[in-house]
Amino acid sequence: MTRMSSSRRYGRISAAAVAAVVLTGIAAPAAFAATPAAAPTAATAVAPSDDVPIKGGLLTLDLAAAVDLDAHGVVVAAVDGAVEADAGVSLAVAAGSKVVTRNEAIVGGTVVLKGGVKLTAGAKSVVVSGVRVDLATGVVTANVGAKAGVRIGTMDVSTVSVDENASLVLDSGLTLDAAAFVWLDTVLGVHVFADLDADVLVDAWIEADVDARILVALGLNVDIDLGLGIL
């Protein structure tokens, strides 16, 4: 998937499309009962929805770009289905991920990720897994070793965008939570994260495919077919 710009590209859906969506909920008068029904239009197949599923995608995380792990003997590896890439480690979007829309805007949702990142220093190691990104607050949590739901940082969700192909991009980076990562120093027996500024920004981005109904929910001016595809 090609990395894209984070600029918003919301348009307005046409008046005809809006009317078609509204009219689908109105019963036809009896006088017209014998008239053959017209073929459904593209817009009538999809109604705006507050919750729109995310169908797939990746979060890519590059710790090494901001933290000199090699100098401290810390090795990063992808585990449990995550993939090592040139830019770091990529975690796949899992079932249960969704975008919440309201009034033609993204107001929340959750990106659930599967796979993990294993940090190893000598004989000690810890796995960061179960990563979740809250699209309302930007808070990123994960299971860090035996600790569940640890806040590891934040992403700037004001930069999230969806284009006319129903592709979602969040490309703001991950601002690390100092307390969580200083704790990693203790677990690994190193002194890496304690020296970092509290607002260190790690290169991180999400690119995902969203159910096509989000285009209607956001008022994007596109045609959608009966299979929720894009014409």
CSV table of all heavy atoms in Angstrom, one decimal, residues 51-100:
chain,number,residue,atom,x,y,z
A,51,ASP,N,-21.1,3.6,12.8
A,51,ASP,CA,-20.0,2.7,12.9
A,51,ASP,C,-19.7,2.0,11.6
A,51,ASP,O,-20.5,1.4,11.0
A,51,ASP,CB,-20.3,1.6,14.0
A,51,ASP,CG,-20.4,2.2,15.4
A,51,ASP,OD1,-20.2,3.4,15.5
A,51,ASP,OD2,-20.7,1.4,16.3
A,52,VAL,N,-18.4,2.2,11.1
A,52,VAL,CA,-18.0,1.7,9.8
A,52,VAL,C,-16.8,0.8,10.0
A,52,VAL,O,-15.8,1.3,10.5
A,52,VAL,CB,-17.7,2.8,8.8
A,52,VAL,CG1,-17.4,2.2,7.4
A,52,VAL,CG2,-18.9,3.8,8.7
A,53,PRO,N,-16.9,-0.5,9.6
A,53,PRO,CA,-15.8,-1.4,9.8
A,53,PRO,C,-14.5,-1.0,9.1
A,53,PRO,O,-14.6,-0.5,7.9
A,53,PRO,CB,-16.3,-2.8,9.4
A,53,PRO,CG,-17.8,-2.6,9.3
A,53,PRO,CD,-18.1,-1.2,9.0
A,54,ILE,N,-13.4,-1.2,9.7
A,54,ILE,CA,-12.1,-1.2,9.0
A,54,ILE,C,-11.8,-2.6,8.6
A,54,ILE,O,-11.8,-3.5,9.4
A,54,ILE,CB,-11.0,-0.6,9.9
A,54,ILE,CG1,-11.3,0.8,10.3
A,54,ILE,CG2,-9.6,-0.7,9.2
A,54,ILE,CD1,-10.3,1.4,11.3
A,55,LYS,N,-11.5,-2.8,7.3
A,55,LYS,CA,-11.4,-4.2,6.7
A,55,LYS,C,-10.0,-4.7,6.6
A,55,LYS,O,-9.8,-5.9,6.4
A,55,LYS,CB,-12.1,-4.2,5.3
A,55,LYS,CG,-13.5,-3.8,5.3
A,55,LYS,CD,-14.2,-4.0,4.0
A,55,LYS,CE,-13.5,-3.1,2.9
A,55,LYS,NZ,-14.2,-3.3,1.6
A,56,GLY,N,-9.0,-3.9,6.8
A,56,GLY,CA,-7.7,-4.4,6.7
A,56,GLY,C,-6.7,-3.2,6.7
A,56,GLY,O,-7.1,-2.1,6.5
A,57,GLY,N,-5.4,-3.5,6.8
A,57,GLY,CA,-4.4,-2.5,6.7
A,57,GLY,C,-3.3,-2.8,7.7
A,57,GLY,O,-3.2,-3.8,8.3
A,58,LEU,N,-2.4,-1.8,7.9
A,58,LEU,CA,-1.2,-1.9,8.7
A,58,LEU,C,-0.9,-0.7,9.5
A,58,LEU,O,-1.3,0.4,9.1
A,58,LEU,CB,0.0,-2.2,7.8
A,58,LEU,CG,0.0,-3.4,6.9
A,58,LEU,CD1,1.2,-3.4,6.0
A,58,LEU,CD2,0.1,-4.7,7.8
A,59,LEU,N,-0.3,-0.9,10.7
A,59,LEU,CA,0.3,0.1,11.4
A,59,LEU,C,1.8,-0.2,11.3
A,59,LEU,O,2.2,-1.3,11.7
A,59,LEU,CB,-0.1,0.2,12.9
A,59,LEU,CG,0.7,1.2,13.8
A,59,LEU,CD1,-0.3,1.8,14.8
A,59,LEU,CD2,1.9,0.7,14.4
A,60,THR,N,2.6,0.7,10.8
A,60,THR,CA,4.0,0.5,10.7
A,60,THR,C,4.7,1.4,11.8
A,60,THR,O,4.4,2.6,11.9
A,60,THR,CB,4.6,0.9,9.3
A,60,THR,OG1,3.9,0.0,8.4
A,60,THR,CG2,6.1,0.6,9.2
A,61,LEU,N,5.7,0.8,12.5
A,61,LEU,CA,6.3,1.5,13.6
A,61,LEU,C,7.8,1.4,13.5
A,61,LEU,O,8.3,0.3,13.2
A,61,LEU,CB,5.9,0.8,14.9
A,61,LEU,CG,6.5,1.3,16.2
A,61,LEU,CD1,6.0,2.7,16.6
A,61,LEU,CD2,6.1,0.3,17.4
A,62,ASP,N,8.5,2.5,13.5
A,62,ASP,CA,10.0,2.5,13.3
A,62,ASP,C,10.6,3.1,14.6
A,62,ASP,O,10.9,4.3,14.6
A,62,ASP,CB,10.4,3.2,12.1
A,62,ASP,CG,11.9,3.1,11.8
A,62,ASP,OD1,12.6,2.4,12.5
A,62,ASP,OD2,12.3,3.8,10.8
A,63,LEU,N,10.9,2.3,15.6
A,63,LEU,CA,11.5,2.8,16.8
A,63,LEU,C,13.0,3.3,16.5
A,63,LEU,O,13.4,4.2,17.1
A,63,LEU,CB,11.6,1.7,17.8
A,63,LEU,CG,10.3,1.4,18.6
A,63,LEU,CD1,10.4,0.1,19.5
A,63,LEU,CD2,9.9,2.6,19.5
A,64,ALA,N,13.7,2.6,15.7
A,64,ALA,CA,15.1,2.9,15.5
A,64,ALA,C,15.3,4.2,14.9
A,64,ALA,O,16.4,4.8,15.1
A,64,ALA,CB,15.7,1.8,14.5
A,65,ALA,N,14.4,4.8,14.2
A,65,ALA,CA,14.5,6.2,13.6
A,65,ALA,C,14.6,7.2,14.7
A,65,ALA,O,15.2,8.3,14.5
A,65,ALA,CB,13.4,6.5,12.7
A,66,ALA,N,14.1,7.0,15.9
A,66,ALA,CA,14.1,8.0,17.0
A,66,ALA,C,14.9,7.5,18.2
A,66,ALA,O,15.3,8.4,19.0
A,66,ALA,CB,12.7,8.3,17.4
A,67,VAL,N,15.1,6.2,18.3
A,67,VAL,CA,15.8,5.7,19.4
A,67,VAL,C,17.0,4.8,19.0
A,67,VAL,O,16.8,3.9,18.1
A,67,VAL,CB,14.9,4.8,20.3
A,67,VAL,CG1,15.6,4.3,21.6
A,67,VAL,CG2,13.6,5.6,20.6
A,68,ASP,N,18.2,5.1,19.5
A,68,ASP,CA,19.4,4.3,19.0
A,68,ASP,C,19.5,3.0,19.8
A,68,ASP,O,20.3,2.9,20.8
A,68,ASP,CB,20.7,5.2,19.2
A,68,ASP,CG,21.9,4.5,18.6
A,68,ASP,OD1,21.7,3.5,18.0
A,68,ASP,OD2,23.0,5.1,18.7
A,69,LEU,N,18.7,2.1,19.4
A,69,LEU,CA,18.6,0.8,20.1
A,69,LEU,C,19.9,0.0,19.9
A,69,LEU,O,20.3,-0.7,20.9
A,69,LEU,CB,17.4,0.0,19.7
A,69,LEU,CG,16.0,0.7,19.9
A,69,LEU,CD1,14.9,-0.2,19.3
A,69,LEU,CD2,15.8,0.9,21.4
A,70,ASP,N,20.4,0.0,18.7
A,70,ASP,CA,21.6,-0.8,18.5
A,70,ASP,C,22.7,-0.4,19.4
A,70,ASP,O,23.5,-1.3,19.9
A,70,ASP,CB,22.1,-0.6,17.0
A,70,ASP,CG,21.1,-1.2,16.0
A,70,ASP,OD1,20.3,-2.1,16.4
A,70,ASP,OD2,21.2,-0.9,14.8
A,71,ALA,N,22.9,0.9,19.7
A,71,ALA,CA,24.0,1.3,20.6
A,71,ALA,C,23.9,0.7,22.0
A,71,ALA,O,24.9,0.7,22.7
A,71,ALA,CB,24.1,2.8,20.6
A,72,HIS,N,22.7,0.3,22.3
A,72,HIS,CA,22.4,-0.2,23.7
A,72,HIS,C,22.2,-1.7,23.7
A,72,HIS,O,21.8,-2.3,24.7
A,72,HIS,CB,21.2,0.5,24.3
A,72,HIS,CG,21.4,1.9,24.6
A,72,HIS,ND1,21.3,2.9,23.6
A,72,HIS,CD2,21.8,2.6,25.7
A,72,HIS,CE1,21.5,4.1,24.2
A,72,HIS,NE2,21.8,3.9,25.4
A,73,GLY,N,22.5,-2.3,22.5
A,73,GLY,CA,22.3,-3.8,22.4
A,73,GLY,C,20.9,-4.3,22.5
A,73,GLY,O,20.7,-5.4,22.8
A,74,VAL,N,19.9,-3.4,22.1
A,74,VAL,CA,18.5,-3.8,22.1
A,74,VAL,C,18.1,-4.2,20.6
A,74,VAL,O,18.3,-3.4,19.7
A,74,VAL,CB,17.6,-2.7,22.6
A,74,VAL,CG1,16.2,-3.2,22.5
A,74,VAL,CG2,18.0,-2.3,24.0
A,75,VAL,N,17.6,-5.4,20.5
A,75,VAL,CA,17.3,-6.0,19.2
A,75,VAL,C,15.7,-6.0,19.1
A,75,VAL,O,15.0,-6.4,20.0
A,75,VAL,CB,17.8,-7.4,19.0
A,75,VAL,CG1,17.3,-8.0,17.6
A,75,VAL,CG2,19.3,-7.4,19.1
A,76,VAL,N,15.2,-5.5,17.9
A,76,VAL,CA,13.8,-5.4,17.7
A,76,VAL,C,13.4,-6.5,16.7
A,76,VAL,O,14.1,-6.7,15.7
A,76,VAL,CB,13.4,-4.1,17.1
A,76,VAL,CG1,11.9,-4.0,16.8
A,76,VAL,CG2,13.7,-2.9,18.1
A,77,ALA,N,12.4,-7.3,17.0
A,77,ALA,CA,11.9,-8.3,16.1
A,77,ALA,C,10.4,-8.4,16.1
A,77,ALA,O,9.7,-8.0,17.0
A,77,ALA,CB,12.4,-9.7,16.6
A,78,ALA,N,9.9,-8.7,14.9
A,78,ALA,CA,8.4,-8.9,14.7
A,78,ALA,C,8.0,-10.3,15.2
A,78,ALA,O,8.7,-11.3,14.8
A,78,ALA,CB,8.0,-8.7,13.3
A,79,VAL,N,7.0,-10.4,15.9
A,79,VAL,CA,6.5,-11.7,16.4
A,79,VAL,C,5.0,-11.9,16.3
A,79,VAL,O,4.3,-10.9,16.1
A,79,VAL,CB,6.9,-12.0,17.9
A,79,VAL,CG1,8.4,-12.0,18.1
A,79,VAL,CG2,6.3,-10.9,18.8
A,80,ASP,N,4.5,-13.1,16.4
A,80,ASP,CA,3.1,-13.4,16.4
A,80,ASP,C,2.4,-12.9,15.2
A,80,ASP,O,1.2,-12.3,15.3
A,80,ASP,CB,2.5,-12.8,17.7
A,80,ASP,CG,3.1,-13.4,19.0
A,80,ASP,OD1,3.5,-14.6,18.9
A,80,ASP,OD2,3.1,-12.7,20.0
A,81,GLY,N,3.0,-13.0,14.0
A,81,GLY,CA,2.3,-12.5,12.8
A,81,GLY,C,2.7,-11.2,12.3
A,81,GLY,O,2.3,-10.8,11.2
A,82,ALA,N,3.4,-10.4,13.1
A,82,ALA,CA,3.8,-9.1,12.7
A,82,ALA,C,4.9,-9.3,11.6
A,82,ALA,O,5.5,-10.4,11.5
A,82,ALA,CB,4.4,-8.2,13.8
A,83,VAL,N,5.2,-8.3,10.8
A,83,VAL,CA,6.1,-8.4,9.7
A,83,VAL,C,7.2,-7.3,9.8
A,83,VAL,O,7.0,-6.2,10.1
A,83,VAL,CB,5.4,-8.2,8.4
A,83,VAL,CG1,6.4,-8.3,7.2
A,83,VAL,CG2,4.3,-9.2,8.2
A,84,GLU,N,8.5,-7.8,9.7
A,84,GLU,CA,9.6,-6.8,9.6
A,84,GLU,C,9.7,-6.2,8.3
A,84,GLU,O,9.7,-6.9,7.3
A,84,GLU,CB,10.9,-7.6,10.0
A,84,GLU,CG,10.9,-8.0,11.5
A,84,GLU,CD,12.2,-8.6,11.9
A,84,GLU,OE1,13.3,-8.2,11.4
A,84,GLU,OE2,12.2,-9.6,12.7
A,85,ALA,N,9.7,-4.9,8.2
A,85,ALA,CA,9.8,-4.2,6.9
A,85,ALA,C,11.0,-3.2,7.0
A,85,ALA,O,11.6,-3.0,8.0
A,85,ALA,CB,8.5,-3.4,6.7
A,86,ASP,N,11.3,-2.6,5.8
A,86,ASP,CA,12.4,-1.7,5.8
A,86,ASP,C,12.3,-0.6,6.8
A,86,ASP,O,13.2,0.0,7.3
A,86,ASP,CB,12.6,-1.2,4.4
A,86,ASP,CG,13.1,-2.2,3.4
A,86,ASP,OD1,13.6,-3.2,3.8
A,86,ASP,OD2,12.9,-2.0,2.2
A,87,ALA,N,11.0,-0.2,7.0
A,87,ALA,CA,10.7,1.0,7.8
A,87,ALA,C,10.5,0.6,9.3
A,87,ALA,O,10.2,1.4,10.1
A,87,ALA,CB,9.5,1.7,7.3
A,88,GLY,N,10.7,-0.7,9.6
A,88,GLY,CA,10.5,-1.1,11.0
A,88,GLY,C,9.7,-2.4,11.1
A,88,GLY,O,9.9,-3.3,10.4
A,89,VAL,N,8.6,-2.3,11.9
A,89,VAL,CA,7.8,-3.5,12.1
A,89,VAL,C,6.3,-3.1,11.8
A,89,VAL,O,5.9,-2.0,12.2
A,89,VAL,CB,7.8,-4.0,13.6
A,89,VAL,CG1,6.8,-5.1,13.8
A,89,VAL,CG2,9.2,-4.4,13.9
A,90,SER,N,5.6,-3.9,11.0
A,90,SER,CA,4.3,-3.6,10.6
A,90,SER,C,3.3,-4.6,11.3
A,90,SER,O,3.5,-5.8,11.3
A,90,SER,CB,4.1,-3.8,9.1
A,90,SER,OG,4.8,-2.8,8.4
A,91,LEU,N,2.3,-4.1,11.9
A,91,LEU,CA,1.2,-4.9,12.6
A,91,LEU,C,0.0,-4.8,11.8
A,91,LEU,O,-0.4,-3.7,11.4
A,91,LEU,CB,1.0,-4.3,14.0
A,91,LEU,CG,2.2,-4.1,14.9
A,91,LEU,CD1,1.8,-3.5,16.3
A,91,LEU,CD2,2.9,-5.5,15.2
A,92,ALA,N,-0.7,-5.9,11.6
A,92,ALA,CA,-1.9,-5.9,10.8
A,92,ALA,C,-3.1,-5.5,11.5
A,92,ALA,O,-3.3,-5.8,12.7
A,92,ALA,CB,-2.1,-7.3,10.2
A,93,VAL,N,-4.0,-4.8,10.9
A,93,VAL,CA,-5.3,-4.4,11.5
A,93,VAL,C,-6.2,-5.7,11.7
A,93,VAL,O,-6.3,-6.5,10.8
A,93,VAL,CB,-6.1,-3.4,10.6
A,93,VAL,CG1,-7.5,-3.2,11.1
A,93,VAL,CG2,-5.3,-2.1,10.4
A,94,ALA,N,-6.7,-5.8,12.9
A,94,ALA,CA,-7.5,-7.0,13.2
A,94,ALA,C,-9.0,-6.8,13.2
A,94,ALA,O,-9.5,-5.6,13.1
A,94,ALA,CB,-7.1,-7.5,14.6
A,95,ALA,N,-9.8,-7.8,13.3
A,95,ALA,CA,-11.2,-7.7,13.4
A,95,ALA,C,-11.6,-6.9,14.6
A,95,ALA,O,-10.9,-7.0,15.6
A,95,ALA,CB,-11.8,-9.1,13.4
A,96,GLY,N,-12.7,-6.2,14.5
A,96,GLY,CA,-13.2,-5.4,15.6
A,96,GLY,C,-12.8,-3.9,15.4
A,96,GLY,O,-13.2,-3.0,16.1
A,97,SER,N,-11.9,-3.6,14.4
A,97,SER,CA,-11.5,-2.2,14.1
A,97,SER,C,-12.7,-1.5,13.4
A,97,SER,O,-13.4,-2.1,12.6
A,97,SER,CB,-10.3,-2.2,13.2
A,97,SER,OG,-9.2,-2.9,13.9
A,98,LYS,N,-12.8,-0.2,13.8
A,98,LYS,CA,-14.0,0.5,13.2
A,98,LYS,C,-13.7,2.0,13.2
A,98,LYS,O,-12.8,2.5,14.0
A,98,LYS,CB,-15.3,0.2,13.9
A,98,LYS,CG,-15.3,0.7,15.3
A,98,LYS,CD,-16.6,0.4,16.0
A,98,LYS,CE,-16.6,0.9,17.5
A,98,LYS,NZ,-17.9,0.7,18.1
A,99,VAL,N,-14.4,2.7,12.4
A,99,VAL,CA,-14.4,4.2,12.4
A,99,VAL,C,-15.8,4.6,12.8
A,99,VAL,O,-16.8,4.1,12.3
A,99,VAL,CB,-14.0,4.8,11.0
A,99,VAL,CG1,-14.1,6.3,11.1
A,99,VAL,CG2,-12.7,4.3,10.6
A,100,VAL,N,-15.9,5.6,13.7
A,100,VAL,CA,-17.2,6.1,14.1
A,100,VAL,C,-17.3,7.5,13.5
A,100,VAL,O,-16.4,8.4,13.6
A,100,VAL,CB,-17.3,6.2,15.7
A,100,VAL,CG1,-18.6,6.9,16.1
A,100,VAL,CG2,-17.2,4.9,16.3
